[in-house]
Amino acid sequence: MNRAAHAFWLDSPGRGEIREVALSGPGEDEVLVRSLYSGVSRGTETLVFRGQVPESQHAAMRAPFQEGDFPGPVKYGYLNVGVVEEGPRTLVGRTVFCLYPHQTRYVVPASAVTPVPDTVPARRAVLAGTVETAVNALWDAAPLIGDRIAVVGGGMVGSSVAALLARFPGVRVQLVDADPARAKTAEALGVGFALPGDALGGCDLVVHASATEQGLARSLELLSAEGTVIELSWYGDRKVSLPLGEDFHSRRLVIRSSQVGTVSPARPGRSYADRLALALDLLADPALDALVTGESEFAELPALMPRLASGEIPALCHLVRYGEADAV
């Protein structure tokens, strides 16, 4: 049986549209999912929307169920929560998370969906992919009790990292951002806040997620001797200059990259599924609702994405709702 669905496509950089797609199946060991919500990850998805994925990174940047190629036409996205309508008996009727683009209904292997715990509302569960990134970053960073830590960049990823660090015993955590409005987010997450010029120094660890060279330079300044910056930012096709002269070497500073595409080697026994399940469990904390800063209907995506990409809408995670009228 063929079924109709609708998906958001980037037709060309800066221009999106909603297309009708035909679904078949589901086959054996597959599920048909009706979307409830999806999330727009403002950092990565707006880079894609603007056509700023470097050609050298086209393969590395592919989302799990992406169709098309960069710079477009391409169907891109990876924060989707829906209800299983058909498939294995153990999954039918379950609310699940999937790394799927913005689409009203879709068919994927049953192994590609992760049940959402009963303690996590469906709308908050769209954050799972971003909290998973934060989990991987903290596995890489390995913070210790009593550490002095700054998170530079209060966007979706940086705020997720700060939210998890707030649970660590005895640590001093400060969220650092150039936007004073991020102070409300920090307060909701239970961490301190500072503008870059007012941030506390002497840090053992700085997690950088501002995607600016000014933020990375400030991250280095905030470190104590032999401290480490964990670099989470992805700059697309932009070049970044670093102040590696002065006292960078004498203070023996470290810059380490962290990227969710690989499970941290610090946790060799953990799988991608383990990491995602942990992220969903952590989303039982209602404080993380502070990361959802706006919402729209699915039909509004073509008009919404340019406003997110330009910064006119200063969102962290923007929620996309799917009503019955959209789930054709």
Side-chain angles (χ1 to χ4, degrees), residues 15-16 47 83 85 90 131 153 172-173 220 230 258 261 290 313:
R15 181 181 180 276
L47 276 173
V83 174
E85 294 190 319
T90 55
V131 173
R172 184 192 80 190
V173 184
L220 290 170
I230 297 296
S258 180
I313 299 177

Side-chain angles (χ1 to χ4, degrees), residues 212-217 220 231 235 240-245 248 255:
T212 66
E213 65 178 49
Q214 296 90 344
L216 183 52
L220 290 170
E231 176 58 282
Y235 299 89
V240 177
S241 298
L242 282 180
L244 300 183
F248 176 80
I255 303 173

Side-chain angles (χ1 to χ4, degrees), residues 19-61:
R19 299 182 181 182
E20 184 171 316
V21 294
L23 302 180
S24 58
E28 187 177 359
D29 296 326
E30 290 185 325
V31 289
L32 170 67
V33 180
R34 173 174 56 84
S35 296
L36 297 173
Y37 301 101
S38 61
V40 179
S41 176
R42 184 170 176 266
T44 303
E45 288 197 57
T46 57
L47 276 173
V48 171
F49 187 78
R50 293 191 297 263
Q52 293 180 325
V53 179
E55 187 173 352
S56 64
Q57 296 300 302
H58 282 190
M61 277 294 297

Side-chain angles (χ1 to χ4, degrees), residues 159-227:
S159 293
S160 295
V161 172
L164 299 190
L165 284 170
R167 305 165 182 231
F168 278 65
V171 300
R172 184 192 80 190
V173 184
Q174 194 170 53
L175 184 64
V176 180
D177 198 279
D179 182 358
R182 293 284 188 254
K184 291 184 178 180
T185 303
E187 181 181 7
L189 298 176
V191 298
F193 175 81
L195 296 171
D198 300 327
L200 297 172
C203 292
D204 305 290
L205 172 69
V206 176
V207 179
H208 179 239
S210 81
T212 66
E213 65 178 49
Q214 296 90 344
L216 183 52
R218 185 62 176 141
S219 296
L220 290 170
E221 292 172 352
L222 294 176
L223 288 175
S224 62
E226 304 207 12

